[in-house]
C-alpha cells in the first residue's frame, strides 16, 4: 500500500518547554522549527507538532482496554515502517524510557497485527508509535 498523505498538525500543552525540547528534539530526533518563549514547532516524521507552554497542564489518567492492555487515552503518534519502529524502540530502551506499554506485537495472527509501544513525554502526554509488517493492514477490518 502506498500511503500518500498531507502532514497533520497537532498542538498540545506541555508544562516545561526545556524538557519538551530535550524529549522531542533529542530523544525522538524531531527537527525543531519555529519557536518562542511559549511554544516550539517540531517535525515528527514529516508532521507538525507544536508544544505550547501551560504550566498548569495535567495529563489524562484515563485508560481504555485494547487487546488485554490498558491504553492511555488520549494519545498520539505515527505509524512508522517496521525498521523505523524497531530503531525507535531500541533508542528508547537505550535511554531507559519508562514505557506505559513496552514494545510488543498486538493482535498477533489477526487482521491488523501491529508492533506498538506507548510512553509519555515529560509533561505526561501519551504517545503511541506503531508499525505494520503489511501496510495494507492499517485500515483492514477483517
Amino acid at each position: 500500500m502506498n500511503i500518500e498523505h498531507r502532514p497533520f498538525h497537532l498542538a498540545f500543552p506541555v508544562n516545561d518547554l526545556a524538557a519538551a525540547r530535550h524529549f522531542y528534539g533529542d530523544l525522538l530526533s524531531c527537527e525543531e522549527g519555529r519557536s518562542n518563549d511559549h511554544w516550539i514547532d517540531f517535525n515528527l516524521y514529516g508532521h507538525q507538532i507544536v508544544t505550547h507552554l501551560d504550566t498548569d497542564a495535567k495529563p489524562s489518567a484515563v485508560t481504555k482496554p485494547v487487546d488485554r492492555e490498558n491504553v492511555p487515552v488520549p494519545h498520539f503518534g505515527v505509524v512508522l515502517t517496521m525498521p523505523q519502529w524497531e530503531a525507535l524502540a531500541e533508542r528508547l530502551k537505550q535511554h531507559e524510557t519508562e514505557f506505559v506499554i513496552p514494545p510488543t506485537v498486538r493482535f498477533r495472527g489477526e487482521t491488523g497485527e501491529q508492533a506498538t509501544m506507548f510512553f509519555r513525554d515529560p509533561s505526561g502526554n501519551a504517545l503511541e508509535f506503531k508499525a505494520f509488517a503489511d501496510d495494507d493492514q492499517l485500515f483492514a477490518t477483517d
Side-chain angles (χ1 to χ4, degrees):
M1 171 183 218
N2 180 13
I3 300 176
E4 294 185 27
H5 69 278
R6 297 289 303 152
F8 71 77
H9 164 83
L10 175 68
F12 55 95
V14 296
N15 55 29
D16 183 329
L17 279 181
R21 179 172 274 124
H22 172 72
F23 180 82
Y24 290 98
D26 298 334
L27 182 61
L28 295 186
S29 300
C30 297
E31 181 180 338
E32 186 173 326
R34 295 168 296 167
S35 66
N36 68 21
D37 293 340
H38 304 285
W39 54 267
I40 306 170
D41 281 351
F42 291 101
N43 177 347
L44 179 67
Y45 294 93
H47 302 283
Q48 183 189 45
I49 61 171
V50 185
T51 57
H52 285 271
L53 181 61
D54 178 354
T55 56
D56 296 323
K58 304 281 188 278
S60 172
V62 174
T63 62
K64 298 293 180 179
V66 177
D67 194 38
R68 298 176 297 281
E69 296 280 1
N70 291 319
V71 171
V73 176
H75 63 265
F76 70 93
V78 177
V79 178
L80 303 173
T81 65
M82 194 59 74
Q84 288 173 316
W85 185 88
E86 290 167 343
L88 178 59
E90 186 58 34
R91 185 166 65 247
L92 293 171
K93 288 178 190 176
Q94 288 175 357
H95 284 89
E96 300 180 357
T97 300
E98 183 178 331
F99 291 96
V100 175
I101 298 174
T104 189
V105 175
R106 175 182 294 149
F107 308 123
R108 190 177 295 277
E110 300 175 30
T111 299
E113 179 177 319
Q114 60 194 258
T116 186
M117 60 183 142
F118 286 81
F119 50 95
R120 293 186 182 274
D121 74 7
S123 294
N125 296 300
L127 291 89
E128 176 189 19
F129 286 83
K130 61 172 68 179
F132 293 80
D134 177 0
D135 282 343
D136 286 332
Q137 294 288 300
L138 180 62
F139 297 109
T141 57
D142 56 355

